[in-house]
Amino acid sequence: MSDLSSLRNTVRAFANERDWDQFHSPKNLAAALSVEAAELLEHFQWLTEEESKQLSDSKRAAVRLELADVLIYLVRIADKLDIDLIAAANDKIALNAIKYPADKAKGSMRKYTEL
Amino acid sequence: MSDLSSLRNTVRAFANERDWDQFHSPKNLAAALSVEAAELLEHFQWLTEEESKQLSDSKRAAVRLELADVLIYLVRIADKLDIDLIAAANDKIALNAIKYPADKAKGSMRKYTEL
Amino acid sequence: MSDLSSLRNTVRAFANERDWDQFHSPKNLAAALSVEAAELLEHFQWLTEEESKQLSDSKRAAVRLELADVLIYLVRIADKLDIDLIAAANDKIALNAIKYPADKAKGSMRKYTEL
Amino acid sequence: MSDLSSLRNTVRAFANERDWDQFHSPKNLAAALSVEAAELLEHFQWLTEEESKQLSDSKRAAVRLELADVLIYLVRIADKLDIDLIAAANDKIALNAIKYPADKAKGSMRKYTEL
């Protein structure tokens, strides 16, 4: 079984054991995912970009657990919507390759609509 | 190779081909991840919880690509910080199991500090 | 002096006394604003819509301070960008009135592009 | 009437004319506020802090309308919860002054728990 399928099963069992299914509508999970992403961002908000590349051990450990929270909710909402995350990501990358051709997008973060 | 490691390599190559490494500080990637999570949330903000469980095909296809974007940035920031997402998620779930014992947390979304 | 101008001056003085100007780039303030908005959302993420209309006194007091945080950062970033928030809001409402004519938008939250 | 009270009345009338009250639970408005804050952040995510201080005219005009959206939803949720935003902000600043004494917080963005 793939990593993500295995994690999905673990998260599903965790929620079932706690009767949390009733709270896990896609709407609520999308809100929770957004909240976790913001908790990650909070660690970086006052750092310079350079500082963000050189986290202290304690900061890095905290950031690691925030990444974990984002992944857990992401896997949970994908489970609820019956979406294969890896297939979706590969499809999105294929679309991005069309929107951002390497030669035009090189060294620029302009939106594809402005390229 | 695991599916997330493979996705990490694809995303890394995509960024390298476009010279985007210079923009991909952990700080910027955390902001981008947060923005993508909000784009996901936008699809659900005016729906009832019930409606969020029964998305139309077109809405579901759009949501699928938003989930993909979140995963792509999540994998990218984890790559930049050299963090193993699956190991981090498993560690976090073990911590959550202590904070939210099944018997105490059953049917409740109170924070662990209030259990 | 208007309410918001007075608040802007208070927030400006608060930052100056602490030498925080160096951290208050519009980029950083936009991240901080987003983090505060998520802290507000966190209070509501597992509530039903009905529950969100009937907050307990302690929850309401906490939510009140989260709204305050959002306003403080909003006023601060507007100050840094020299933007008059009230004039901007009135301009936006005028634009929204064109995008969402009352007769077409009645009882619907579809995006203006779908009306 | 204060400028925020006047804006609150305008936003209230706008929603009433469109029968949008049914969608404007505090929960939904908190999600919408968070989404708007992220749309603001999107404009800054790939800029350096210096670039964020020197926006082009077109970028600044777009940012101005995103600030407007944040204020509109902030005023709306405060209206729904019957919260006076200015009083809340002043109370929060008084609390912050205790948590972040000017002498200890000078030139530092550490959290008050670490000061």
Side-chain angles (χ1 to χ4, degrees):
Chain A
M1 188 183 299
S2 78
D3 291 356
L4 280 181
S5 305
S6 170
L7 179 60
R8 178 202 62 203
N9 291 352
T10 304
V11 174
R12 197 191 280 174
F14 193 97
N16 284 346
E17 286 161 15
R18 283 156 188 79
D19 248 343
W20 283 355
D21 220 63
Q22 58 186 309
F23 304 108
H24 284 188
S25 61
K27 175 180 174 135
N28 286 2
L29 291 167
L33 179 62
S34 198
V35 168
E36 295 301 338
E39 290 184 5
L40 174 67
L41 180 57
E42 189 180 4
H43 288 281
F44 295 108
Q45 64 188 345
W46 306 120
L47 301 187
T48 64
E49 288 187 60
E50 278 317 304
E51 287 166 344
S52 81
K53 294 175 188 170
Q54 297 158 11
L55 301 179
S56 67
D57 286 353
S58 67
K59 187 87 157 178
R60 192 173 165 286
V63 162
R64 181 174 176 271
L65 293 180
E66 302 292 0
L67 291 179
D69 279 329
V70 174
L71 182 59
I72 289 167
Y73 281 117
L74 182 63
V75 162
R76 184 70 176 147
I77 190 171
D79 186 20
K80 285 296 182 179
L81 294 169
D82 199 20
I83 284 169
D84 179 329
L85 283 170
I86 295 290
N90 284 324
D91 286 357
K92 190 56 177 26
I93 291 167
L95 289 169
N96 284 347
I98 296 168
K99 291 203 290 189
Y100 297 95
D103 58 333
K104 281 199 186 172
K106 210 168 191 95
S108 157
M109 288 312 275
R110 270 177 298 177
K111 244 192 152 156
Y112 66 95
T113 46
E114 298 166 20
L115 282 180
Chain B
M1 190 183 299
S2 78
D3 41 10
L4 280 182
S5 305
S6 170
L7 179 60
R8 178 202 61 204
N9 290 352
T10 304
V11 173
R12 198 191 281 174
F14 193 96
N16 284 347
E17 285 161 16
R18 283 157 188 80
D19 248 342
W20 283 355
D21 220 62
Q22 58 186 309
F23 303 109
H24 285 186
S25 62
K27 175 179 174 136
N28 286 1
L29 291 167
L33 179 63
S34 198
V35 168
E36 296 301 338
E39 290 184 5
L40 173 68
L41 179 57
E42 190 180 5
H43 288 282
F44 295 107
Q45 63 187 346
W46 305 121
L47 301 187
T48 64
E49 288 186 61
E50 278 316 303
E51 287 167 344
S52 81
K53 294 176 188 170
Q54 298 160 10
L55 301 179
S56 67
D57 286 353
S58 67
K59 187 87 156 178
R60 192 173 166 286
V63 162
R64 181 174 177 271
L65 293 180
E66 301 293 0
L67 291 179
D69 278 329
V70 173
L71 182 59
I72 289 167
Y73 280 117
L74 181 63
V75 161
R76 184 69 175 147
I77 190 171
D79 186 19
K80 285 297 182 178
L81 293 169
D82 199 20
I83 285 170
D84 179 328
L85 284 171
I86 295 289
N90 285 324
D91 286 356
K92 190 57 175 27
I93 290 168
L95 289 170
N96 284 346
I98 296 167
K99 291 203 289 189
Y100 298 95
D103 57 333
K104 281 199 186 170
K106 211 168 191 94
S108 157
M109 289 311 275
R110 270 177 299 176
K111 245 191 152 156
Y112 66 95
T113 46
E114 298 165 19
L115 282 180
Chain C
M1 189 182 298
S2 78
D3 292 355
L4 280 180
S5 306
S6 170
L7 179 60
R8 177 202 62 203
N9 290 352
T10 303
V11 173
R12 197 191 282 175
F14 193 96
N16 283 347
E17 285 161 17
R18 284 158 188 78
D19 248 342
W20 283 355
D21 220 62
Q22 58 186 309
F23 304 108
H24 285 186
S25 62
K27 175 181 174 133
N28 286 1
L29 291 167
L33 179 62
S34 198
V35 168
E36 295 300 338
E39 290 185 4
L40 174 68
L41 180 57
E42 190 180 4
H43 288 282
F44 295 108
Q45 63 188 345
W46 305 119
L47 302 186
T48 64
E49 289 187 62
E50 278 316 303
E51 286 167 345
S52 81
K53 294 175 188 171
Q54 297 159 12
L55 301 179
S56 67
D57 286 353
S58 66
K59 188 87 156 178
R60 192 173 166 285
V63 162
R64 181 174 177 271
L65 293 180
E66 301 292 1
L67 292 179
D69 279 328
V70 173
L71 182 59
I72 289 167
Y73 280 118
L74 182 62
V75 161
R76 184 69 177 147
I77 190 171
D79 186 19
K80 284 297 182 179
L81 293 168
D82 199 20
I83 285 170
D84 179 329
L85 283 171
I86 296 289
N90 285 324
D91 286 357
K92 190 57 176 25
I93 290 168
L95 289 169
N96 284 346
I98 296 167
K99 292 203 289 190
Y100 298 95
D103 57 334
K104 281 200 187 170
K106 211 169 190 94
S108 159
M109 288 312 276
R110 270 178 298 177
K111 243 190 153 160
Y112 66 96
T113 45
E114 299 165 21
L115 282 180
Chain D
M1 190 184 298
S2 78
D3 40 11
L4 279 182
S5 305
S6 169
L7 178 61
R8 178 203 61 203
N9 290 352
T10 304
V11 174
R12 197 191 282 175
F14 194 95
N16 283 347
E17 285 161 16
R18 283 157 188 79
D19 249 342
W20 283 355
D21 220 62
Q22 58 186 309
F23 304 108
H24 285 188
S25 62
K27 175 179 174 135
N28 286 2
L29 291 166
L33 179 63
S34 199
V35 168
E36 295 301 338
E39 290 184 5
L40 173 69
L41 180 57
E42 190 180 4
H43 288 282
F44 295 107
Q45 64 187 345
W46 305 122
L47 302 186
T48 64
E49 289 188 60
E50 278 316 304
E51 287 167 344
S52 81
K53 295 175 188 170
Q54 298 159 11
L55 301 180
S56 67
D57 286 354
S58 67
K59 187 87 156 178
R60 192 174 165 285
V63 162
R64 182 174 176 271
L65 294 180
E66 302 292 1
L67 291 179
D69 279 329
V70 173
L71 182 59
I72 289 167
Y73 280 118
L74 182 63
V75 161
R76 184 70 176 148
I77 191 172
D79 186 19
K80 285 297 182 178
L81 294 169
D82 199 20
I83 285 170
D84 179 329
L85 284 170
I86 295 289
N90 285 324
D91 285 357
K92 190 56 176 27
I93 290 168
L95 288 170
N96 284 346
I98 296 168
K99 290 203 290 189
Y100 297 95
D103 58 333
K104 281 199 186 170
K106 211 169 190 95
S108 158
M109 289 311 275
R110 270 177 299 176
K111 244 191 153 158
Y112 66 95
T113 45
E114 298 165 20
L115 282 180

